[in-house]
Amino acid sequence: MPTNEELQKQLIQDLLVESNEGLDRFDREMLALEKGQATPDTPNIIFRVIHTIKGTAGCLGLSKIESVAHVGENLLSLLREGKVTVTPPLISTLLAYADALRAMLSSLRDEGNEGSEDYSALLKQLQDLQAASSATSTETIPAPQAAAPVAAPAALPQGWGLFDDEPAPATPAATPVLSEAVAPAPVIERAPVVAPVTAHAPTGTPATSHPPGEGGARATSAADTAIRVNVEQLDKLMNLVGELVLARNQIVQHSALIQDNSLIAASQRLNIITTELQESVMKTRMQPIGNVWAKFPRIVRDVAGELGKKVQLVMEGNETELDRTIIEAIKDPLTHIIRNAIDHGIETPEVRRGGGKPDEGLLILRAFHEGGQVNIEIMDDGRGINISRVKEKALQRALITADQSARMSDREAFNLIFLPGFSTAEKVTNLSGRGVGMDVVKTNIEKIGGSVDLLSEANAGTTIKIKIPLTLAIIPALIVTSGRERFAIPQVSLLELVRLEAEQARKGIEKLYGAPVYRLRGQLLPLVYLNKELELGGASSTGGAVDEAVNIVVLQADGRQFGMVVDEINDTEEIVVKPLGKQLKGLACFAGATIMGDGRVALILDVVGLAQHAQVIREVRDRSMTEKHKGDARASERQTLLLFDVGEGAQMAIPLSMVARLEEFPRSQIERSGAHEVVQYRGQILPLVRVSDYVRTVAETSASGTDLMQVVVYSEQGRSIGLVVGSINDIVEEAVTVKRDSAHDGILGSAVIQNRVTDLLDVAAVIRSADPSFYSSSRTPVGLAA
Amino acid sequence: MNDSKQFCTFFIDGLFFGVEVLKVQEVIRYQQMTAVPLASRTIEGLINLRGQIVTAIDLRRRLDLPPRGEEQLPMNVVVRSDDGAVSLLVDEIGDVVEIHDDVRERPPETLRGVARELVTGVYKLKERLLLILDTEKTVNLAA
């Protein structure tokens, strides 16, 4: 038998939960009323929410809440009777009134009292509204003594005494406080309370679609089939299931070693049951995303109102379910994005009208499952992101250089808004533009293994796409071995596995200035050796001589693919993610640890962190990133390229448009002029540049056996220079996509041309380093490097 | 009520250390460990303590003492910290002793290096000196 205090506590707890849910509902119904989407039942629902709060608070001796609730209730009762007309000020005041109740409730939760806030101004407003409407009415209800709250804590113990023999005072109809307007069927109040525990909570405008009367029946059945469970309890259950999964893995592994039929049968059953149990427990933690979204209509209304904008919010996929830990984690980022969309995205009605758009901006929230992940899209039809302004801002904040800004692709420019310390708001508003914003959104979403992408079109709107995993606690992972240690790679970042036998590996893995790459279906895949990155040592495959089979795990991080070479690929397994201690928090390469079937600990690789560590992707968008996009931009145009060899097996290319002539000279014709090698050519002196000297490849020209030199003559502003190459291979017309960026001078990047890795020679850079005066002595050359 | 405290004692490189017994969750023999690449050398690895993953800190490295011999397997003193359980690797486990505050002294000024930070007090026992470690500081490698 619980003591009185315990019961009181429990009742207050119930009051808090019910009231907060009720108030959320109150908000939704209020907004429906404002939009004229109300059903005949809407005023009743609104009234009952407040009525219940008032009643329960009264029972528990929470006099301040009770008295504040009472004032609003009077107004609402007039509303219900159709004696007040719905006006925006009325709605705003009533919403503020709901906030006041919330404030008192949260103070009750956090501090154990109703708080010392003075609501007399608000109450005065409510009374004024009421007085205005009841001027015609005869039954003016006298204003209660709301401004004089009774000290709540003192009142608590006495409040309890009423209910010794009635442990469920949540039925407010029984309280003596209520004299007017008996709440019809108090059971209904319990319906929204229970519903969120069952997976599909009514989220849009619940119950309003049902005629009154039917709601009552529905609610009763919901109350019969659902119970309220403490989240802590569920978390504990989840942890236990995690342990069970590990124990199961161990037993399954051992039973395979012991040839005992009954043991094998039992372990198989255990296996199946554990899997089912795991799924069921996961399901209990699943909540529809609508639970988070429920508060957005209110936020949208408030923000839009403050900024003098009109916004219509459309929400699709309310019922999409995800783990509650993730729901918690995305709440703030989503709120921020929505605020941003209204603040920066959607224009004022005047501007919209000028642009031929409807006054009312459209904001669409959409959630759906796809490929084991939850996708959330936030779309607005506002002005879109102004790229030049974004770039300007980034320049101003020294986040990028002028050079980068000029070369940046649109998509890359959009992503600038995710950089720390970036904000485009011209003036800092109350809502956004404080410089803490999208970077935090991005970090928070990435923290839970998600990703953010942004698309925008000028004057058409902006779409932000978020992808997040369903759950964090138990994930499928690939187990690999490297340097005698096992590592788990989360399946979400895994694209495919490639195994190269020794012979294939020798041929297939090519080197670009020491950086190994592999051609995967014509695409260059940078390779990262796990044992090298993690400094494991020991194993042979350090990127040097390859004389055994090579296992490549193809991974994706931040939109970039790369291959990770490991010693062995073991198996896929469901693993339970456990956090690392704070001593290890600084290691970006690991996302956590898990316990394997044999009871040993294995580290979980953080693919993005590892890619950053290996410099496959870079945290700061530097030169090479923009170079890549420069390549992408060029990709669509077909180019005619001259292919040639410089040294052993290194093919290079230059655009044919840069080539004046191809010539052959016997070596004996080389003369010297100062430090330069020159030849006489068409009555002029042609300086020679040996390409191999400037791009640091393996060997000198392979054609040195013959007496003839292959020279590519390049002309600019009436001056010529001869590029000495090994051998001319071919002329091809190809759409060149630069696949890999090179940090080396003289190379613009690399591409696959005719199934060979080909470096694109940066002619201007080579000539500049060979003869700095070549360009400067004449007029400035046009468009060479760009 | 007299002012005495209980300490869990252990030996590292011939020195006699102790931590408050209330901070100690348990003492276990050597466990297989998973090394953490790229981590500080002070971290010996991760152990599986009944499904809980616990970081093991090598106290010899933490205290700037010479490394343990290859053949010598350390013991785990699992302590509770603000951030969950952490294992301290020691050479050998001593007794749990109850000592009166009378014999406590502040560490001598001449104590240098990292020990100056981590040793909170010295108890003058009959046969030897007992150095008391601050567990929170010991497991906080940033300090």
Side-chain angles (χ1 to χ4, degrees):
Chain A
M1 192 60 195
T3 65
N4 281 4
E5 275 102 88
E6 278 169 8
L7 200 46
Q8 170 85 8
K9 240 185 186 164
Q10 182 57 43
L11 292 174
I12 288 186
Q13 194 55 40
D14 286 349
L15 164 79
L16 287 173
V17 176
E18 287 175 37
S19 303
N20 280 323
E21 282 168 7
L23 286 171
D24 286 347
R25 195 161 173 202
F26 177 92
D27 278 1
R28 282 197 301 274
E29 298 296 335
M30 267 299 165
L31 296 179
L33 200 61
E34 186 180 31
K35 284 185 197 148
Q37 294 164 355
T39 62
D41 203 28
T42 300
N44 286 325
I45 295 172
I46 294 172
F47 179 81
R48 284 198 301 260
V49 166
I50 299 304
H51 190 79
T52 309
I53 293 175
K54 186 186 116 173
T56 319
C59 294
L60 295 171
L62 303 167
S63 54
K64 188 174 175 188
I65 294 179
E66 184 194 358
S67 60
V68 172
H70 178 70
V71 182
E73 189 189 16
N74 289 338
L75 182 58
L76 290 171
S77 117
L78 293 175
L79 180 75
R80 194 168 59 149
E81 290 158 28
K83 287 183 181 153
V84 216
T85 38
V86 177
T87 57
L90 177 84
I91 301 282
S92 296
T93 311
L94 283 172
L95 287 174
Y97 160 73
D99 285 344
L101 288 172
R102 276 197 189 93
M104 283 187 284
L105 289 167
S106 56
S107 159
L108 184 63
R109 182 193 58 213
D110 300 336
E111 278 139 50
N113 62 54
E114 296 159 279
S116 51
E117 201 74 30
D118 180 20
Y119 297 108
S120 45
L122 176 71
L123 296 181
K124 178 80 174 42
Q125 259 182 312
L126 287 167
Q127 282 160 13
D128 287 349
L129 283 165
Q130 188 186 331
S133 61
S134 44
T136 52
S137 165
T138 47
E139 43 179 310
T140 307
I141 300 156
Q145 55 290 61
V150 183
L156 286 182
Q158 289 108 41
W160 149 246
L162 283 168
F163 285 100
D164 255 330
D165 49 353
E166 198 193 309
T171 50
T175 63
V177 196
L178 313 165
S179 47
E180 79 269 43
V182 172
V187 205
I188 290 178
E189 254 54 59
R190 297 207 68 93
V193 166
V194 181
V197 181
T198 67
H200 299 275
T203 42
T205 49
T208 48
S209 54
H210 297 272
E214 192 190 322
R218 217 168 60 102
T220 322
S221 64
D224 286 345
T225 56
I227 54 161
R228 187 182 288 279
V229 180
N230 193 329
V231 165
E232 257 171 55
Q233 197 64 39
L234 285 182
D235 284 347
K236 199 171 160 199
L237 195 56
M238 188 69 203
N239 277 340
L240 288 173
V241 169
E243 298 300 322
L244 185 62
V245 167
L246 293 177
R248 185 269 318 260
N249 290 354
Q250 289 175 18
I251 286 178
V252 169
Q253 213 166 65
H254 280 289
S255 69
L257 299 177
I258 304 162
Q259 296 294 324
D260 183 319
N261 281 339
S262 58
L263 178 65
I264 288 173
S267 84
Q268 273 169 354
R269 264 180 63 74
L270 176 68
N271 193 357
I272 294 164
I273 294 169
T274 310
T275 309
E276 263 177 43
L277 181 63
Q278 184 191 333
E279 279 168 11
S280 309
V281 171
M282 301 271 270
K283 256 200 194 121
T284 60
R285 289 161 52 100
M286 290 297 207
Q287 283 188 310
I289 197 167
N291 287 7
V292 189
W293 287 6
K295 62 179 186 140
F296 288 158
R298 173 77 195 275
I299 291 171
V300 169
R301 180 192 184 274
D302 289 356
V303 175
E306 195 164 323
L307 297 166
K309 296 177 181 180
K310 288 185 178 169
V311 182
Q312 191 197 347
L313 177 68
V314 176
M315 300 192 283
E316 296 170 14
N318 271 321
E319 68 292 340
T320 310
E321 289 188 335
L322 61 177
D323 194 281
R324 55 166 291 277
T325 47
I326 294 183
I327 294 226
E328 282 302 310
I330 59 167
K331 213 185 244 173
D332 289 342
L334 279 184
T335 310
H336 195 92
I337 291 173
I338 286 176
R339 289 196 156 154
N340 255 332
I342 302 170
D343 194 6
H344 304 313
I346 290 170
E347 313 92 327
T348 54
E350 299 80 56
V351 176
R352 290 182 65 88
R353 230 171 291 148
K357 294 186 195 176
D359 279 16
E360 202 175 44
L362 187 63
L363 186 64
I364 302 176
L365 274 177
R366 180 183 291 157
F368 54 95
H369 284 275
E370 191 184 76
Q373 286 189 308
V374 177
N375 292 16
I376 303 172
E377 297 177 356
I378 302 107
M379 284 170 271
D380 68 62
D381 68 343
R383 62 169 74 92
I385 292 177
N386 183 335
I387 292 177
S388 52
R389 224 176 68 198
V390 166
K391 286 184 178 173
E392 208 176 286
K393 207 60 159 202
L395 272 175
Q396 225 174 56
R397 305 261 152 108
L399 298 170
I400 53 169
T401 65
D403 190 41
Q404 286 175 340
S405 154
R407 296 168 174 211
M408 200 165 268
S409 74
D410 287 1
R411 194 182 167 140
E412 213 177 344
F414 290 146
N415 280 307
L416 286 175
I417 69 163
F418 291 118
L419 290 182
F422 186 89
S423 172
T424 57
E426 259 146 26
K427 59 173 195 275
V428 172
T429 68
N430 197 14
L431 308 161
S432 49
R434 290 202 197 92
V436 287
M438 296 306 277
D439 64 312
V440 179
V441 167
K442 189 173 168 143
T443 335
N444 283 343
I445 287 172
E446 280 174 356
K447 219 183 270 170
I448 53 167
S451 63
V452 194
D453 198 16
L454 188 145
L455 299 169
S456 183
E457 201 178 318
N459 284 322
T462 305
T463 302
I464 294 179
K465 292 186 181 183
I466 300 173
K467 284 188 183 195
I468 37 178
L470 280 176
T471 181
L472 299 176
I474 299 183
I475 58 166
L478 177 77
I479 312 297
V480 300
T481 307
S482 194
R484 282 192 291 281
E485 292 283 350
R486 277 173 304 179
F487 296 94
I489 303 170
Q491 203 100 31
V492 285
S493 351
L494 184 67
L495 294 176
E496 62 181 298
L497 302 175
V498 177
R499 182 181 164 88
L500 301 177
E501 294 307 326
E503 184 60 20
Q504 280 175 297
R506 240 193 316 278
K507 279 198 212 143
I509 297 180
E510 294 166 82
K511 293 274 178 72
L512 289 166
Y513 301 96
V517 293
Y518 174 69
R519 281 189 229 159
L520 185 66
R521 293 184 291 276
Q523 299 268 329
L524 279 192
L525 187 72
L527 295 183
V528 171
Y529 289 81
L530 185 60
N531 53 4
K532 219 163 136 194
E533 288 311 323
L534 300 183
E535 297 161 19
L536 296 170
S540 63
S541 48
T542 47
V546 187
D547 23 84
E548 34 185 85
V550 172
N551 293 302
I552 304 173
V553 183
V554 184
L555 299 170
Q556 177 146 12
D558 219 3
R560 296 270 273 158
Q561 290 186 12
F562 68 101
M564 193 169 72
V565 179
V566 299
D567 294 351
E568 229 178 286
I569 290 171
N570 305 33
D571 205 354
T572 58
E573 225 172 270
E574 295 268 299
I575 59 164
V576 181
V577 181
K578 308 238 171 190
L580 292 173
K582 72 170 171 210
Q583 295 86 0
L584 299 168
K585 279 278 153 62
L587 299 174
C589 288
F590 307 112
T594 190
I595 296 172
M596 306 298 299
D598 61 4
R600 291 200 58 188
V601 179
L603 289 157
I604 302 169
L605 294 178
D606 182 321
V607 173
V608 173
L610 190 74
Q612 271 163 6
H613 182 78
Q615 297 185 332
V616 175
I617 54 172
R618 316 206 173 191
E619 207 151 15
V620 187
R621 281 146 224 279
D622 58 7
R623 183 171 165 275
S624 72
M625 280 292 269
T626 55
E627 291 268 37
K628 182 192 104 202
H629 284 284
K630 206 181 75 189
D632 287 351
R634 257 194 306 184
S636 50
E637 338 161 356
R638 292 182 76 80
Q639 278 191 326
T640 311
L641 296 170
L642 175 74
L643 303 181
F644 55 88
D645 274 355
V646 176
E648 290 296 353
Q651 178 165 275
M652 303 195 84
I654 58 172
L656 196 63
S657 55
M658 287 186 169
V659 178
R661 286 183 72 85
L662 298 178
E663 295 287 349
E664 281 183 343
F665 295 108
R667 282 177 192 278
S668 54
Q669 279 191 16
I670 301 178
E671 297 176 61
R672 298 197 76 84
S673 156
H676 293 289
E677 289 182 319
V678 296
V679 288
Q680 295 176 27
Y681 176 61
R682 295 180 169 192
Q684 285 195 334
I685 296 170
L686 180 72
L688 295 180
V689 173
R690 290 181 187 270
V691 174
S692 57
D693 290 349
Y694 293 98
V695 292
R696 276 172 288 158
T697 69
V698 258
E700 167 63 289
T701 49
S702 58
S704 55
T706 69
D707 189 37
L708 288 176
M709 275 188 317
Q710 304 293 330
V711 175
V712 177
V713 181
Y714 169 76
S715 292
E716 180 77 54
Q717 313 284 349
R719 303 177 51 155
S720 299
I721 200 160
L723 301 172
V724 181
V725 301
S727 61
I728 304 290
N729 294 353
D730 204 352
I731 291 173
V732 291
E733 200 192 306
E734 278 224 38
V736 181
T737 316
V738 178
K739 300 280 168 43
R740 197 180 156 279
D741 313 303
S742 165
H744 298 267
D745 285 337
I747 305 290
L748 284 174
S750 311
V752 176
I753 297 171
Q754 290 186 332
N755 290 324
R756 278 191 68 184
V757 177
T758 304
D759 292 327
L760 301 179
L761 185 66
D762 188 348
V763 179
V766 168
I767 292 176
R768 214 178 292 123
S769 55
D771 181 5
S773 65
F774 184 77
Y775 290 119
S776 57
S777 59
S778 62
R779 282 154 291 159
T780 324
V782 203
L784 246 188
Chain B
M1 177 112 188
N2 58 359
D3 295 327
S4 65
K5 275 183 183 155
Q6 286 191 317
F7 294 98
C8 172
T9 63
F10 45 84
F11 296 88
I12 310 165
D13 192 33
L15 292 167
F16 190 45
F17 286 96
V19 292
E20 263 184 70
V21 85
L22 293 175
K23 294 274 187 188
V24 178
Q25 180 180 318
E26 60 193 296
V27 173
I28 48 174
R29 60 185 168 74
Y30 177 73
Q31 301 277 309
Q32 271 204 317
M33 249 173 259
T34 301
V36 183
L38 309 178
S40 148
R41 274 164 50 82
T42 313
I43 292 171
E44 187 80 9
L46 301 172
I47 58 173
N48 169 11
L49 185 67
R50 296 183 302 275
Q52 194 187 0
I53 291 174
V54 173
T55 310
I57 292 176
D58 182 358
L59 273 194
R60 279 191 177 239
R61 290 227 171 85
R62 183 73 180 106
L63 295 168
D64 281 341
L65 297 171
R68 193 175 296 112
E70 287 286 320
E71 71 295 334
Q72 197 180 356
L73 287 181
M75 298 283 285
N76 291 282
V77 177
V78 182
V79 297
R80 298 187 192 94
S81 80
D82 293 346
D83 188 43
V86 178
S87 167
L88 303 176
L89 298 181
V90 304
D91 293 356
E92 211 180 306
I93 294 292
D95 295 327
V96 172
V97 292
E98 183 162 354
I99 316 170
H100 199 268
D101 267 357
D102 285 354
V103 296
R104 182 179 182 277
E105 242 182 68
R106 281 149 46 104
E109 312 304 320
T110 47
L111 194 63
R112 292 192 191 273
V114 68
R116 178 108 197 94
E117 297 287 317
L118 305 183
V119 175
T120 57
V122 178
Y123 282 78
K124 298 162 287 179
L125 305 187
K126 262 185 205 132
E127 59 281 24
R128 49 165 65 93
L129 295 173
L130 174 67
L131 303 162
I132 303 303
L133 286 178
D134 179 326
T135 50
E136 277 310 325
K137 277 190 187 157
T138 305
V139 302
N140 182 6
L141 299 187

